[in-house]
Amino acid sequence: MPWLIKSTPSKHVPLSGQLFFVHVPRCGGTSLMQHFSVPQKVIESRGLLGGLAMKYFFMRYGELEKANFPVKTRENAVCVSLLLLSLVLYVNDAPLPALFGVPLAIWLGSLAVFISLFTTIVCTAPVIGRITPVHRWYLWFVHYPLFRLCEALDWCTGTNKHGYIMHLTAPKLLGYGYVTPEQMDGMNSLAIVRNPYSRMVSMYGYNRFGESESFPTFVRRWKKLMRHYIERGEKEEWYTPCHLLPMFEYTHFNGKQLVQSIVKQEELKLLKTKEGTQEAIKVDSTVSDLPDVVRDALLGMPHTNSRKMSKKWYDFYDQETMDLTYEMYKRDFEVYAYDAAIKERPDLKPPRKNRRSALGALKFGSWSRNSYMNDEGMRVSQANLFGSVKSSERAAMQRRSSTTALKRSLVAFDRDEILASVAGLRHNSDFSTVMEDEPENPKRKSYRRSSTSALKRTSVDSSITDDESDHSKKDA
């Protein structure tokens, strides 16, 4: 999620005691926000309109955690009241003024039906996350017509044209300037990951178009939706919604770990008991030897947003869905050392690793539950790494918003990029405002050339299959 512990006007917290949560979607951790009272703190820090907007955002976020197409909502309660009022006015033929020749009762009834359908069907996770035109309209709508009232950059939560801010990857947080390299270097950061097979079932439960959409159908459609990332490593929200991204994109950049502590969801239970803590140390678990701030946060984390499924996650799989899931998220298996086999399903044959995938995984060092510590147990600065990541991401944004890029899109008739420019998602004035106080780096031009090469190499490494990897190399 966002900042969990940070300094406020009423309470100073040293940077070493602050905690930031890089929230990988569908990996657990939403309840951390409630545990640390983040919604209340955000609402209290806003003005009247901003507070109301963020209050509605958090309310809506909670509704969508419970149901894909929520019916029992406050919006529908208001709509039912409006519809009943319009029926009473229409039946009694009340002497009310007409608008454009249409009785006011008809207008009220139409408004009630529209709001109900809009909030129950259109503004939902499956529609916004999986129907590209609606997704892109949403990014534009919350940023411009709503005047960015639903964003809280000081807490890194809410939503704007970059997507759900609490679901931004660590590189994006640095690139957009929402978190500075100095903050990233001095604070405590945490991410929770989970078995990619289990995560896919969770994404199915959250993003499916109702009970009628089967798991195999969903997985096949999910891979098609992921085509921009598969073909050229596209991680921008305009192309690839946050739920589609592999987990390693949230915690790493060019093979380097950015998040201080990465914990496996399956091992959180070891923190709850004394015996579990001893077992965690014995098996070298991800929850052993954590920084005190991180450990205390995980100990107090409730689990309140789980979706009840009709069967165990491993029972959803057949050979086809297992192979497709591994193809899409094979780097997650390698980076976080998850088994490609499902031990509860010995009837399924685990996917085979190919040589090219193994070579691509070599760039990822062994991930650490405290990446800021060296072998001697001393905290070392990662400021240079975070600064280079920020510069690379910022350079990519500036290239895309340049006039040259727009001309190239017009010549090639790249409809996606043209539409992004027209919608204002290639206009980075807000990004410039965040960064305007930074000193100019005299070596910026030479660094941008090197970062361009690094980004090209990254897009190749993000490919999913051998043939798609070859295609990515040609594009790069």
Side-chain angles (χ1 to χ4, degrees):
M1 214 64 190
W3 287 97
L4 300 180
I5 302 175
K6 65 171 295 186
S7 287
T8 61
S10 60
K11 182 180 179 181
H12 173 72
V13 179
L15 193 56
S16 59
Q18 297 182 25
L19 178 60
F20 190 91
F21 182 40
V22 178
H23 191 180
V24 183
R26 310 317 304 166
C27 286
T30 299
S31 52
L32 277 173
M33 179 181 66
Q34 283 82 18
H35 179 66
F36 283 92
S37 303
V38 173
Q40 291 83 350
K41 294 175 182 176
V42 171
I43 294 170
E44 291 171 0
S45 65
R46 309 254 80 74
L48 177 60
L49 289 179
L52 290 174
M54 291 306 302
K55 186 174 183 178
Y56 180 77
F57 171 82
F58 289 122
M59 181 194 74
R60 188 68 183 171
Y61 192 86
E63 291 173 349
L64 294 178
E65 284 288 348
K66 299 175 183 177
N68 291 20
F69 299 97
V71 176
K72 297 179 181 180
T73 63
R74 297 181 184 181
E75 298 97 324
N76 283 340
V78 172
C79 290
V80 169
S81 301
L82 279 177
L83 189 60
L84 291 175
L85 176 61
S86 67
L87 288 174
V88 170
L89 294 176
Y90 184 78
V91 170
N92 294 331
D93 196 18
L96 297 174
L99 185 62
F100 299 110
V102 179
L104 183 61
I106 301 297
W107 281 109
L108 286 176
S110 301
L111 179 63
V113 173
F114 172 78
I115 294 176
S116 179
L117 293 175
F118 188 72
T119 58
T120 305
I121 298 177
V122 178
C123 289
T124 58
V127 174
I128 291 177
R130 295 178 59 187
I131 300 180
T132 301
V134 178
H135 178 72
R136 293 176 174 177
W137 164 83
Y138 172 82
L139 296 177
W140 169 81
F141 183 76
V142 297
H143 197 86
Y144 293 106
L146 290 186
F147 301 104
R148 303 170 65 176
L149 288 173
C150 289
E151 71 174 16
L153 298 184
D154 51 341
W155 286 92
C156 283
T157 189
T159 181
N160 61 18
K161 69 179 183 180
H162 299 306
Y164 292 107
I165 301 172
M166 61 280 195
H167 287 317
L168 291 177
T169 66
K172 287 182 180 179
L173 288 166
L174 288 165
Y176 298 149
Y178 297 163
V179 176
T180 67
E182 293 74 22
Q183 288 175 319
M184 200 77 175
D185 188 45
M187 68 186 182
N188 299 279
S189 55
L190 164 68
I192 300 175
V193 297
R194 71 189 297 183
N195 187 304
Y197 292 133
S198 172
R199 181 174 180 246
M200 175 59 81
V201 174
S202 179
M203 289 190 289
Y204 164 65
Y206 188 78
N207 292 284
R208 62 182 172 180
F209 290 125
E211 299 286 345
S212 60
E213 185 177 30
S214 67
F215 184 65
T217 300
F218 173 83
V219 174
R220 288 191 290 268
R221 291 173 176 174
W222 197 252
K223 186 178 180 181
K224 290 181 180 178
L225 193 63
M226 204 178 178
R227 65 187 183 278
H228 294 294
Y229 179 81
I230 293 174
E231 293 171 0
R232 59 178 188 272
E234 183 61 71
K235 298 180 282 290
E236 190 179 357
E237 187 75 15
W238 180 255
Y239 293 96
T240 308
C242 60
H243 279 218
L244 288 162
L245 287 175
M247 295 181 289
F248 80 91
E249 296 287 6
Y250 285 84
T251 61
H252 288 69
F253 182 81
N254 280 351
K256 301 293 185 180
Q257 182 176 331
L258 303 184
V259 179
Q260 179 187 15
S261 302
I262 302 176
V263 175
K264 290 185 176 182
Q265 184 195 75
E266 297 84 1
E267 297 177 352
L268 288 174
K269 59 186 179 183
L270 297 178
L271 285 173
K272 301 300 182 181
T273 63
K274 183 177 180 180
E275 293 77 11
T277 302
Q278 294 173 349
E279 179 68 16
I281 297 174
K282 181 179 178 181
V283 301
D284 195 29
S285 166
T286 59
V287 297
S288 62
D289 301 328
L290 291 170
D292 292 339
V293 175
V294 175
R295 175 179 292 275
D296 292 342
L298 294 176
L299 280 172
M301 183 181 74
H303 190 56
T304 57
N305 65 322
S306 59
R307 290 286 186 99
K308 293 187 179 298
M309 305 296 288
S310 59
K311 50 188 175 182
K312 298 291 186 180
W313 65 264
Y314 45 80
D315 289 329
F316 282 88
Y317 280 93
D318 56 23
Q319 193 63 56
E320 179 195 12
T321 52
M322 183 181 185
D323 292 340
L324 287 175
T325 301
Y326 182 80
E327 287 179 17
M328 287 184 281
Y329 298 108
K330 65 181 178 182
R331 189 71 77 229
D332 286 340
F333 287 93
E334 297 160 355
V335 173
Y336 304 116
Y338 279 107
D339 192 354
I342 301 177
K343 65 179 182 179
E344 295 88 353
R345 295 292 303 277
D347 56 311
L348 300 179
K349 184 179 179 181
R352 294 179 58 186
K353 296 182 180 180
N354 57 65
R355 182 181 178 186
R356 183 164 297 169
S357 174
L359 291 174
L362 291 177
K363 63 181 285 187
F364 288 85
S366 59
W367 60 283
S368 170
R369 51 185 170 267
N370 195 340
S371 61
Y372 297 174
M373 294 292 180
N374 58 18
D375 295 336
E376 288 74 32
M378 301 294 292
R379 183 173 178 124
V380 294
S381 175
Q382 306 287 334
N384 291 336
L385 171 62
F386 298 139
S388 65
V389 172
K390 185 198 74 173
S391 299
S392 296
E393 291 290 311
R394 185 181 182 187
M397 290 180 64
Q398 290 176 338
R399 283 195 303 273
R400 273 193 148 151
S401 64
S402 66
T403 304
T404 303
L406 177 58
K407 290 179 179 178
R408 190 184 306 115
S409 300
L410 291 171
V411 171
F413 195 59
D414 188 336
R415 289 177 293 182
D416 293 327
E417 282 298 310
I418 294 172
L419 184 59
S421 299
V422 172
L425 271 75
R426 291 290 174 261
H427 179 61
N428 293 317
S429 60
D430 59 319
F431 173 79
S432 301
T433 302
V434 173
M435 297 297 186
E436 65 182 358
D437 294 332
E438 294 188 1
E440 183 67 21
N441 185 355
K443 297 181 180 180
R444 185 176 302 278
K445 292 185 178 180
S446 61
Y447 181 80
R448 285 180 183 174
R449 286 194 293 269
S450 63
S451 64
T452 302
S453 301
L455 288 171
K456 289 182 178 180
R457 289 195 299 272
T458 303
S459 66
V460 173
D461 290 331
S462 299
S463 60
I464 304 300
T465 64
D466 289 350
D467 293 338
E468 289 162 344
S469 178
D470 292 335
H471 181 64
S472 296
K473 289 181 179 178
K474 293 178 182 178
D475 289 344

